[in-house]
Structures are given as structure tokens and as C-alpha cells.
Amino acid sequence: MISTPLTELCGIRVPVVQGGMQWVGTPPLVSAVSNAGGLGFITALTQPNPEALRVAIRETRKATDKPFGVNITLLPSINPPDYEGYARAAVEEGVKIFETAGNSPGKLIKYFKSQGCIVIHKCTTIRHAKSAERLGVDILSIDGFECAGHPGEEDIGGIVLLARAAKELKVPYIASGGFADGRGLVSALALGAAGVNMGTRFMCTVESPIHQSIKEKIVASTEQDTVHIFRTLRNTARVFKNSVSTQVVALEQRPGGAQFSDLRDLVSGARGRVVYENGDPEHGIWTAGISIGLIEDIPTCQELVDRIEREAEDIIAGMGRLVKVSAKL
């Protein structure tokens, strides 16, 4: 058993987190991850309203007696969701672990801490991590440039971010972006992390709610099959490389660039959701990290977490043999 501040604080067996993913973090996947020994997160905004989130929490609790949490990601929006309503509903349903991400999380973090909850906050820079640390978060999730979704605008890979975190942060942190196996977990632990956060890898499991064809597309793809969109809008997102994302990049790169209004129909969240429902990888924008290049199968969550744990323990034992005791003269 690999014991870290993450496993001890959250009461889990394996230091692996299934982070929030829109349209993916639903009760079947979340409960499967938690039952396997990891930490699953329901994505609050996948649910249409706070009452629906209550139903999802109850459904998850029926399927597992292990710890799980709720993710709330704060995104720029003309008509923002009822973040406070989602937070209140989750707390009232007895959820004790939250993952926050996005802009200005201070109000939510303060509320969760006032209710005795554990807060994991996701950051893409050490600067932002220190700000979250001052807000009182319990664990930080350090998101490297390798990640799916929004990696920030500074393009710094996980190795340097995690090494800096080891030097500069006072609270435990986990590593996010590019992790899919036991070797990745060991590398994160060596860089001072208390565990790893995986998104794309958990998308490609039996219990993931996305279409089988998309899972098979992930298996068939390589680390070269993602692309960044919204670079020119300073809202970079790593997504799967298909005809739609390629068109978005082309529009951004034309003389004079592009406004969001030029891209809105192409990047519609509704189109992305249909990808997961009907299995057509070309229908819209969908997120994927470069860990896609490490994914070769579609296991159950139990098989995946067991394998990661076994690989990590074997690698750690092997690395111990690299240190030789030199004879004293």
C-alpha cells in the first residue's frame, strides 16, 4: 500500500484521483473509481441544476460506501450557473470532499472550509497555487501543459511545475496532466506529489459513460492527436484533433484572427456532448490530454487502479535496488 498525505486525508487506498470532467464525471464512473480504491468526483455542472446534483450524489452513495467528491469548475460565462446552489446542495447531501477549479474560487473555498470539508484546488501555475494556499485549501492539484482542457497560458510542463511545487508549497499537492499508468504515478511521487489526477485515462474505462466508439478512438490514437484551440483568445484548451478543432485553429490563424463569435457554433458544448453520446469523433470538440498516447486498452476501473498500484509498487521496489552501498576504505 502506498501511503501519502492524499490517501490519509481523504481516506482512500490508492493515491489516484478521477478529476472532474464535463459529461463524464457521472455516478457509474465515480462510484467505480472509489470502489477500486481511488477518489472519484462527480462533475457538478454536468447536472442541469442543484436538485439534479442531489440525485446524482444519492445514486453514487448507493453504489459505493467509499469516499467520493464533487467537482465545481468556475468558468467565464455571460449567464453563470448557480455555483452556490450546487455547492450548498452537495454539502447538504453530506459530501465532504470538493475539487474546485477556474476563476476566483475564494468564496466557494471559504464556504466549504466553514462546513468542515476537504478542498482540492486545481492550478496551472505556482503563483495561483500560492494564492489558493492562502485561501486555506487542503490539497493543490498542479496541472501541467500536458493536460486535457485548460492548461493556462504559460505553457509549462509538469516536471518543472511539480519540482517548483516541492520547493515552494506548504500544503500537499497532486500531479495532473499526462498521467495514465504506474510509471507516471511513481514519477509524480518522486517529484514530491502526494498522488495523481487522471482524466483521459478514466474516460477510457468500461464504466465511463461515453460511447464505445470514442473509447476505441482513444486507444487507436497517439500523443500527437491533440491540438490547442483558443490560443489567440488567451483561453487555451487542449482537445482531440479532428476536423472541427482543425477548422477552429485555421480560423484563429487567418489574417486578423478570430473572435469567439466566429467560433461559437463550432465549439458548442452541445456538439461536444453529442460526440460522447453518438460515438462520432468528428461531430464536435471534445477534450483529451496527451496521455492518450499511453492508453492501449479499455479496462474496468478496478483493473486499472489495481494495475497502477501494482506497477508503481514494483517500480519503487526496483528503484531501491539502484542505490548501492559503497564499501568504506
Side-chain angles (χ1 to χ4, degrees):
M1 181 173 173
I2 299 172
S3 179
T4 75
L6 173 70
T7 61
E8 292 172 4
L9 190 60
C10 296
I12 59 175
R13 185 174 59 82
V14 185
V16 172
V17 173
Q18 165 255 309
M21 293 176 281
Q22 184 70 327
W23 316 126
V24 182
T26 58
L29 176 62
V30 174
S31 59
V33 171
S34 292
N35 281 332
L39 182 61
F41 275 96
I42 298 170
T43 304
L45 298 188
T46 291
Q47 304 302 321
N49 53 59
E51 288 306 308
L53 176 60
R54 289 182 187 273
V55 174
I57 291 168
R58 293 169 188 172
E59 185 179 335
T60 305
R61 190 163 283 125
K62 286 180 181 177
T64 184
D65 59 358
K66 302 295 193 298
F68 66 91
V70 167
N71 159 277
I72 300 181
T73 299
L74 298 97
L75 298 171
S77 175
I78 296 173
N79 299 302
D82 181 11
Y83 294 121
E84 293 180 22
Y86 282 105
R88 188 167 53 253
V91 169
E92 289 174 356
E93 289 298 319
V95 174
K96 289 296 184 183
I97 306 174
F98 288 87
E99 179 188 56
T100 58
N103 301 324
S104 304
K107 193 172 181 180
L108 277 186
I109 292 171
K110 183 178 180 180
Y111 171 66
F112 291 139
K113 294 310 299 176
S114 75
Q115 300 300 309
C117 300
I118 295 168
V119 179
I120 302 174
H121 183 68
K122 186 176 285 187
C123 304
T124 60
T125 70
I126 300 302
R127 181 178 70 257
H128 292 148
K130 288 181 175 180
S131 295
E133 201 172 46
R134 289 191 292 271
L135 290 171
V137 302
D138 300 278
I139 300 172
L140 289 154
S141 182
I142 305 299
D143 222 357
F145 189 58
E146 302 88 345
C147 72
H150 297 279
E153 304 302 322
E154 298 189 6
D155 298 2
I156 307 298
I159 289 179
V160 170
L161 279 178
L162 294 169
R164 277 198 63 195
K167 290 182 178 181
E168 300 180 42
L169 299 181
K170 298 180 179 67
V171 303
Y173 58 92
I174 61 175
S176 182
F179 297 98
D181 55 22
R183 192 172 301 280
L185 172 57
V186 174
S187 71
L189 296 174
L191 285 161
V196 295
N197 175 84
M198 303 192 310
T200 307
R201 173 66 272 196
F202 278 121
M203 285 173 61
C204 199
T205 56
V206 170
E207 296 90 351
S208 166
I210 69 176
H211 197 282
Q212 182 70 15
S213 295
I214 301 302
K215 298 177 189 181
E216 292 170 0
K217 187 68 173 178
I218 289 172
V219 170
S221 299
T222 75
E223 65 273 17
Q224 296 180 325
D225 290 317
T226 73
V227 67
H228 283 115
I229 61 173
F230 301 155
R231 294 288 265 175
T232 61
L233 303 180
R234 303 287 294 172
N235 189 30
T236 300
R238 186 186 293 278
V239 302
F240 188 78
K241 186 189 293 182
N242 61 13
S243 57
V244 182
S245 57
T246 300
Q247 187 178 351
V248 171
V249 172
L251 288 170
E252 289 190 74
Q253 292 178 342
R254 66 186 178 182
Q259 301 298 316
F260 182 75
S261 57
D262 302 322
L263 311 174
R264 181 182 290 115
D265 292 341
L266 289 171
V267 303
S268 159
R271 286 182 63 171
R273 183 176 187 175
V274 171
V275 169
Y276 295 151
E277 292 174 344
N278 73 7
D280 179 5
E282 297 294 323
H283 187 82
I285 296 292
W286 54 285
T287 58
I290 61 172
S291 63
I292 202 169
L294 300 172
I295 297 172
E296 299 175 340
D297 61 356
I298 308 170
T300 66
C301 289
Q302 188 72 62
E303 290 167 342
L304 176 61
V305 173
D306 284 350
R307 183 170 69 201
I308 289 172
E309 182 181 32
R310 184 174 62 252
E311 288 174 350
E313 290 174 347
D314 289 347
I315 292 167
I316 290 169
M319 290 177 70
R321 293 191 289 271
L322 295 175
V323 179
K324 305 295 183 183
V325 178
S326 58
K328 293 184 178 180
L329 297 176

